[in-house]
Amino acid sequence: MLESYSRCWAEIDYDAIGHNVKEIKKLVGETKIMGIVKANAYGHGSVKCAKALEENGVDFFGVSSVDEALELRNAGIESSILILGYTPPEHFHYLHEKKITQSLISLDYAKRLNAYAKEHDVIIHAHCKVDTGMNRTGIQDQDQKKEMDSIIEVFSLTKISVDGMFTHFPVSDDLGEESAAFTKHQIELFNEVVASLKEIGIQPGILHVQNSYGILNYGDLGMDYCRPGLLYMGVTSDDSIPILSQPNFIPVMSLYANVSVVKTIKAGQTVGYGRHFMATKPTKIATISIGYADGLPRLLSNKNHEVLIHGKRCPLVGNICMDQCMVDVTEIEDVKEGDICCLVGRQGDEVVTIDSISRDAHTINNETLSAIAARVPRLDKRG
Ligand SMILES: *Cc1c(COP(=O)(O)O)cnc(C)c1O
């Protein structure tokens, strides 16, 4: 049994990451893994996840910002790091000082970075982002020739070493005909850009296109790297979305909170703010020390969302509060202060998933996981 904290805590099974990496490798052939550890590795702890990934052969990380890259560098991580998003000009110096690779998110941006590098007589390492349909960041032009000219211009900037090129899929999770055609078209566009560059003697470097669903539904695309976030954490965005491959992932995060008070209320009495739950018979209520400020979505209120106590399913009742919530434990014997409530994970023979939380909160696991608050301690399951 693990040490437990008095209020609530997340338990992180860093060994499961190794297992999940092996499952990913079965799907992508020779393609290597760039571990996406942005947003504190979706709440799992970016440094510890990066170290667990490194132990399993991962030598490249993706983050969203220079701050996240510095966190890894300051923890002694020497592998390559790609910033997937925007770095403001006042932070450009970190890129060469800390050997961080920057995404070239537009032609103008690449030129600005090149001008900076010229001025300081440094070389900046970068990957060129090609926008093939996401319409977020990346080089895109309705006129294909202009687009190609822009990409060639990026590769010819003298103070930027363009070591790679990538694109991103907006609908790789959807197996529907239209979405599948869209994604396949993106892959074709990307491959055409690669071929055109090679034709004129430009080496595009390391190529990567797949996020988690790109891996699950498109398998081995023969790229150099793939970019899973969720998958190595052992979950998908939504377990009700059909996928083409059926890997055997182990969820890395579990979530627990303590029971603080148990009381019995009479028929007609209500629970919590707004009085939205009213007992129809004598009802035993356990108060749990986790709330929406810990990342338990308030949208779970009044949906009979199930958690586990003593290995048995029991519903949340009433509105979720900021630091607490209440559970109907009428059917469970001997519940007392200090008992452990499992909100995500296994207790006895029962399992509750992050997917059930995301479903009841009308969102996806990406958001639910990354919204687990900083104040929730992360316990290392390896001890
Ligand atoms: C976040 C992100 C990923 C990882 O997405 P998952 O669906 O979690 O695998 C990959 N590539 C880019 C560009 C991203 O922003």
Side-chain angles (χ1 to χ4, degrees), residues 34-38 42 62-64 82 84-85 103 129 134 136-137 166-169 172 208-215 226-233 235-237 366:
M34 179 187 297
I36 303 302
V37 295
K38 63 192 181 194
Y42 306 13
V63 297
S64 68
L82 174 64
L84 298 163
S103 294
K129 176 80 180 282
M134 176 81 173
R136 187 171 64 177
T137 53
F166 69 112
T167 194
H168 195 47
F169 297 150
S172 55
H208 47 100
V209 299
Q210 292 154 289
N211 55 354
S212 287
Y213 280 99
I215 293 165
C226 58
R227 301 189 306 267
L230 278 178
L231 281 196
Y232 74 78
M233 299 160 201
V235 294
T236 55
S237 291
N366 316 42

Side-chain angles (χ1 to χ4, degrees), residues 129-160:
K129 176 80 180 282
V130 181
D131 189 347
T132 54
M134 176 81 173
N135 289 321
R136 187 171 64 177
T137 53
I139 294 170
Q140 183 265 8
D141 202 297
Q142 300 307 319
D143 177 343
Q144 274 194 12
K145 177 165 181 317
K146 266 197 192 157
E147 174 172 323
M148 206 52 226
D149 288 347
S150 298
I151 295 169
I152 291 166
E153 191 173 347
V154 162
F155 274 88
S156 58
L157 293 169
T158 52
K159 301 298 270 183
I160 298 187

Side-chain angles (χ1 to χ4, degrees), residues 307-379:
V307 297
L308 303 176
I309 295 179
H310 293 188
K312 296 200 174 78
R313 294 182 170 272
C314 41
L316 294 179
V317 290
N319 283 5
I320 311 275
C321 311
M322 184 180 281
D323 316 303
Q324 313 180 67
C325 60
M326 279 70 87
V327 183
D328 180 347
V329 291
T330 310
E331 303 301 323
I332 306 174
E333 278 174 28
D334 301 326
V335 178
K336 57 187 186 310
E337 176 198 332
D339 284 353
I340 293 176
C341 171
C342 175
L343 296 110
V344 178
R346 172 181 291 278
Q347 206 176 49
D349 295 332
E350 288 284 357
V351 173
V352 283
T353 61
I354 191 80
D355 298 89
S356 69
I357 295 183
S358 301
R359 194 152 39 244
D360 284 343
H362 306 297
T363 185
I364 53 174
N365 292 334
N366 316 42
E367 181 184 9
T368 310
L369 288 168
S370 53
I372 305 282
R375 78 175 186 183
V376 176
R378 269 65 170 176
L379 294 194

